[in-house]
């Protein structure tokens, strides 16, 4: 057996690894990190890496893969707890050559936990290979994937029936899906991702189905054929997603929507979604919610949109606060809600709507909605019951006041004051300011005027009936 004295990696100085995988000539070797003995060798990297994993004790161990290109003839399966696969960054390349996954966390009879893959690049054979995923996490708990690059796979990272996975500083490019998850169960957070990105993806950058307890921070999706971020449900009651927080994430250059959230139907809504500081540009629609309840959109920045900034359909109890929506084109405006209720919109700036956009905000067949404190470039359209709009916008006055002066003729008992509001006021206050106006009266109103009706006519005089008035929709 030839003697190979590869240089000591800094990792080995800190903590001995169980096995060191390295390539010399056309062979792959696995050296025991404690004894220095070469225990396994083969032309195929998957065979050697798998032998090293299988040789680990039940308590797991670390396998360090040195720089180089390693061809995998089959999937490397991690089926033990506390196994760490560590490379030397982008210079450690695992190449998938057929229709199988690169690395899979899975054990049939139990759930494995506390494993990781880090500092590795995985190259797939192309998106047409339907099973050629970069990393598969199935029936696993508390898995970490750190600083991993994945290209040319069907799915970059696939999660299925897992609890507690962390993605940190990972990048996925030229895949059919970037990150795809289904049936995840919350354990702290089912999936947490920190500063990860998906670029040039044929379908969705992030497709998370039937997921509970997801947290994404500063993640991006760019150049996706369909959605940047998709949170959806299978058409099965009880599978609705919930408890998802997305902070400071960005979607741009997406063929459809930047962020899309869908429940199953009106009786099985997705719930507890928090989109905080979401950015979307050059998409069809910035944010879409369908069959969703009890959620928040805070401080979005949405621009360059083919249709709307935010579109809502069958959404109940949603707060939209702060942020800016610019360059929207669809007729119904920057925010378009249908068949929804309890939508509260406050302090949103809406600018640069195209001439094709008739309204800034449309609330169609919506009930119990409230808009206030916004800075809009167009008016607001509402239909439904008990909707309230506060503050004055171009073409949509919701509060008004003034002083009206009339000359009594001794016989007229009704005096008409145009209120200038967008709808019939719900609150009217009229105060007499002159002695001749200070007599018994009552007030009526409609969509155009308020009417001061005296029980006895004020006396004849010039400008002797002076009234202060204030109205509010």
């Amino acid at each position: 057996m030839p003697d190979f004295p590869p240089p000591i990696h800094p990792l080995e100085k800190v903590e001995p690894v169980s096995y060191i995988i390295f390539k010399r000539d056309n062979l792959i070797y696995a050296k025991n990190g404690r004894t220095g003995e070469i225990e396994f060798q083969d032309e195929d990297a998957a065979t050697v890496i798998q032998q090293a994993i299988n040789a680990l004790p039940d308590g797991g161990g670390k396998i360090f893969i040195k720089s180089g290109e390693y061809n995998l003839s089959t999937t490397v399966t991690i089926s033990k707890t506390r196994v760490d696969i560590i490379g030397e960054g982008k210079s450690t390349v695992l190449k998938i050559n057929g229709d199988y996954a690169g690395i899979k966390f899975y054990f049939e009879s139990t759930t494995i936990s506390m494993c990781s893959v880090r500092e590795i690049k995985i190259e797939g054979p192309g998106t047409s290979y339907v099973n050629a995923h970069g990393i598969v996490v199935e029936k696993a708990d508390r898995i970490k994937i750190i600083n991993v690059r994945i290209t040319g796979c069907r799915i970059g990272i696939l999660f299925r029936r897992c609890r507690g996975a962390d993605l940190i500083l990972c990048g996925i490019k030229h895949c059919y899906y970037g990150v795809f998850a289904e049936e995840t169960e919350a354990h702290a957070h089912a999936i947490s991702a920190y500063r990860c990105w998906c670029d040039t993806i044929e379908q969705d950058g992030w497709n998370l189905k039937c997921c509970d307890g997801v947290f994404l921070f500063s993640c991006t999706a760019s150049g996706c054929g369909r959605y940047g971020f998709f949170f959806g449900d299978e058409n099965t009651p009880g599978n609705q997603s919930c408890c998802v927080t997305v902070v400071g994430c960005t979607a741009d250059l997406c063929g459809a929507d930047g962020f899309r959230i869908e429940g199953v139907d009106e009786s099985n809504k997705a719930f507890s979604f928090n989109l905080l500081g979401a950015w979307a540009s050059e998409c069809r629609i910035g944010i879409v919610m369908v069959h969703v309840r009890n959620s928040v959109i805070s401080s979005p920045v949405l621009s360059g949109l083919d249709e709307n900034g935010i579109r809502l359909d069958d959404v109940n109890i949603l707060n939209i606060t702060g942020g800016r929506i610019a360059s929207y084109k669809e007729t119904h405006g920057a925010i378009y809600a249908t068949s929804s209720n309890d939508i509260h919109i406050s302090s949103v700036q809406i600018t640069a709507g195209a001439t094709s956009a008739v309204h800034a905000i449309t609330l169609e067949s919506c009930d119990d909605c409230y808009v206030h404190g916004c800075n809009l470039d167009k008016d607001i359209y509402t239909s439904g019951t008990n909707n309230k709009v506060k503050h004055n916008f171009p073409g949509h006055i919701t509060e008004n006041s003034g002083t009206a002066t009339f000359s009594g003729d001794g016989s007229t008992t009704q005096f008409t004051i145009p209120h200038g509001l967008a709808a019939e006021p719900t609150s009217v206050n009229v105060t007499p300011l002159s002695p001749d106006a200070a007599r018994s009266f009552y007030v009526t109103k409609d969509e155009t005027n308020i009417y001061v009706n005296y029980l006895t006519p004020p006396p004849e005089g010039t400008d002797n009936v002076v009234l202060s008035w204030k109205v509010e929709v």
Side-chain angles (χ1 to χ4, degrees):
M1 178 71 65
D3 183 25
F4 299 112
I8 297 176
H9 188 272
L11 179 66
E12 299 175 58
K13 299 177 182 178
V14 176
E15 181 179 352
V17 297
S18 302
Y19 287 96
I20 300 168
I21 309 296
F22 62 96
K23 184 176 183 180
R24 184 66 58 89
D25 298 326
N26 293 321
L27 290 177
I28 312 299
Y29 298 89
K31 182 179 74 171
N32 189 302
R34 289 175 170 80
T35 67
E37 296 292 325
I38 302 296
E39 294 190 6
F40 309 108
Q41 68 179 58
D42 198 276
E43 293 181 354
D44 173 49
T47 299
V48 175
I49 297 171
Q50 192 66 62
Q51 287 175 326
I53 293 172
N54 294 343
L56 293 175
D58 291 340
K62 290 180 169 59
I63 295 178
F64 174 58
I65 306 176
K66 297 185 71 66
S67 295
E69 288 192 356
Y70 298 85
N71 290 308
L72 305 179
S73 65
T74 188
T75 300
V76 174
T77 301
I78 300 172
S79 56
K80 295 182 177 182
T81 291
R82 298 181 183 273
V83 174
D84 299 313
I85 306 293
I86 306 167
E88 289 193 288
K90 292 186 290 184
S91 62
T92 298
V93 181
L94 305 184
K95 304 191 73 170
I96 304 168
N97 295 313
D99 196 18
Y100 47 85
I103 296 175
K104 184 174 184 178
F105 295 90
Y106 178 75
F107 189 63
E108 177 64 32
S109 61
T110 187
T111 298
I112 62 172
S113 64
M114 293 180 283
C115 297
S116 73
V117 174
R118 59 186 75 193
E119 307 293 339
I120 279 176
K121 182 177 181 181
I122 299 175
E123 293 183 356
T127 60
S128 62
Y129 291 80
V130 297
N131 297 304
H133 313 313
I135 297 175
V136 177
V137 181
E138 184 169 358
K139 289 181 64 180
D141 180 10
R142 288 172 284 179
I143 303 300
K144 293 184 183 294
I145 303 173
I146 303 172
N147 199 19
V148 172
R149 299 291 183 267
I150 300 174
T151 64
C153 292
R154 182 69 173 189
I155 298 175
I157 301 175
L158 171 61
F159 295 97
R160 183 182 294 123
R161 292 180 293 163
C162 68
R163 301 194 310 166
D166 295 331
L167 306 182
I168 301 172
L169 301 174
C170 294
I172 300 172
K173 192 171 185 178
H174 296 304
C175 294
Y176 192 76
Y177 286 102
V179 178
F180 193 102
E182 57 187 6
E183 300 180 58
T184 63
E185 180 183 349
H187 181 95
H189 291 294
I191 298 173
S192 296
Y194 173 79
R195 294 189 182 280
C196 297
W197 52 267
C198 297
D199 186 15
T200 317
I201 304 298
E202 293 183 23
Q203 285 291 301
D204 308 332
W206 301 74
N207 186 306
L208 309 180
K209 293 182 177 180
C210 310
C211 293
D212 177 6
V214 173
F215 179 81
L216 306 182
F217 178 82
S218 195
C219 296
T220 65
S222 180
C224 300
R226 194 173 66 155
Y227 308 127
F229 296 81
F230 176 75
F231 304 91
D233 297 312
E234 303 295 342
N235 296 320
T236 304
N239 276 354
Q240 56 268 30
S241 297
C242 65
C243 304
V244 174
T245 299
V246 178
V247 181
C249 293
T250 300
D252 70 327
L253 299 172
C254 296
D257 310 326
F259 299 82
R260 186 176 184 92
I261 302 167
E262 284 192 24
V264 178
D265 52 37
E266 62 182 9
S267 300
N268 297 274
K269 291 180 168 65
F271 61 93
S272 294
F273 278 78
N274 299 292
L275 270 60
L276 312 177
W279 287 63
S281 64
E282 306 303 325
C283 301
R284 183 178 71 99
I285 301 173
I287 299 171
V288 176
M289 289 186 171
V290 181
H291 306 313
V292 178
R293 63 179 174 88
N294 299 88
S295 296
V296 172
I297 300 173
S298 178
S299 302
V301 179
L302 313 173
S303 63
L305 307 163
D306 291 337
E307 297 184 19
N308 315 108
I310 299 173
R311 183 175 293 181
L312 312 173
D313 183 14
D314 186 29
V315 175
N316 307 130
I317 312 177
L318 171 68
N319 288 327
I320 303 174
T321 61
R324 176 171 58 88
I325 304 174
S327 302
Y328 58 95
K329 298 177 183 177
E330 207 266 344
T331 301
H332 296 93
I335 301 175
Y336 178 27
T338 59
S339 304
S340 301
N341 60 60
D342 284 310
I343 309 299
H344 288 204
I345 305 171
S346 64
S347 304
V348 179
Q349 180 182 5
I350 297 177
T351 62
T355 55
S356 58
V358 177
H359 310 291
I361 298 174
T362 296
L363 304 174
E364 187 175 281
S365 302
C366 296
D367 301 328
D368 302 310
C369 298
Y370 184 34
V371 182
H372 67 99
C374 297
N375 183 359
L376 310 181
D377 63 342
K378 298 178 185 292
D379 71 356
I380 297 175
Y381 172 81
T382 66
S383 67
T385 61
N386 201 29
N387 295 314
K388 189 171 184 179
V389 178
K390 295 274 289 183
H391 296 296
N392 298 333
F393 312 119
H396 197 105
I397 307 301
T398 62
E399 295 176 310
N400 209 355
S401 62
T403 300
T405 302
F406 304 94
S407 296
D409 60 8
S411 61
T412 299
T413 58
Q414 186 180 77
F415 296 86
T416 301
I417 304 173
H419 54 64
L421 299 185
E424 181 176 330
T426 58
S427 174
V428 179
N429 184 30
V430 176
T431 303
L433 297 182
S434 64
D436 287 345
R439 55 184 61 210
S440 297
F441 64 87
Y442 63 94
V443 177
T444 56
K445 54 189 172 56
D446 59 26
E447 292 183 354
T448 305
N449 304 306
I450 56 176
Y451 304 95
V452 180
N453 303 278
Y454 283 95
L455 300 181
T456 59
E460 184 177 356
T462 301
D463 297 337
N464 62 323
V465 179
V466 182
L467 301 167
S468 172
W469 58 274
K470 182 177 181 179
V471 291
E472 181 180 328
V473 172

